[in-house]
Amino acid sequence: DFHRTLTPEQHFDLSCVNPSFVMGPPLMKQSSASIDHMVNLFTNALPALPDIRYEVVDVRDVAAQHVLLMETHESNGERYLCSSAPSGMRHMAKTL
């Protein structure tokens, strides 16, 4: 809606990246939902490992998709998912 209120001179290209559960090396030391979740998993703060599946994506892949879309004019005005195949909590714990 905001974009429609702009004059032609104010218009800009915009593509949206919608990532799933983002994991990867953090840029800052402050906590995030992803980091808190992994800390809880590793410190046995969770009473059990429920059979919950997440579609995890590496933060570096999300960044790469942002760059690709900025370089691709045809992506203007579109929304893109950035995700992977579902992975269960037990599998994530064993992998990490």
Side-chain angles (χ1 to χ4, degrees):
D1 291 336
F2 167 75
H3 203 261
R4 283 179 258 210
T5 66
L6 300 176
T7 66
E9 297 81 29
Q10 294 172 317
H11 276 210
F12 54 91
D13 288 348
L14 177 67
S15 302
C16 296
V17 175
N18 297 305
S20 56
F21 186 64
V22 181
M23 295 294 299
L27 290 177
M28 300 178 284
K29 293 189 183 262
Q30 73 186 52
S31 187
S32 70
S34 300
I35 292 172
D36 290 346
H37 183 70
M38 290 296 104
V39 168
N40 288 338
L41 189 63
F42 291 134
T43 60
N44 294 323
L46 303 173
L49 284 176
D51 189 22
I52 297 174
R53 303 204 174 268
Y54 296 101
E55 290 156 356
V56 180
V57 63
D58 191 289
V59 67
R60 293 161 288 201
D61 293 332
V62 177
Q65 188 174 26
H66 277 285
V67 171
L68 177 66
L69 294 177
M70 285 190 295
E71 297 173 342
T72 309
H73 181 71
E74 295 80 19
S75 68
N76 183 34
E78 300 296 329
R79 296 178 183 169
Y80 295 87
L81 294 177
C82 191
S83 189
S84 67
S87 180
M89 289 181 69
R90 197 173 307 269
H91 178 262
M92 288 188 341
K94 286 180 184 177
T95 301
L96 298 172

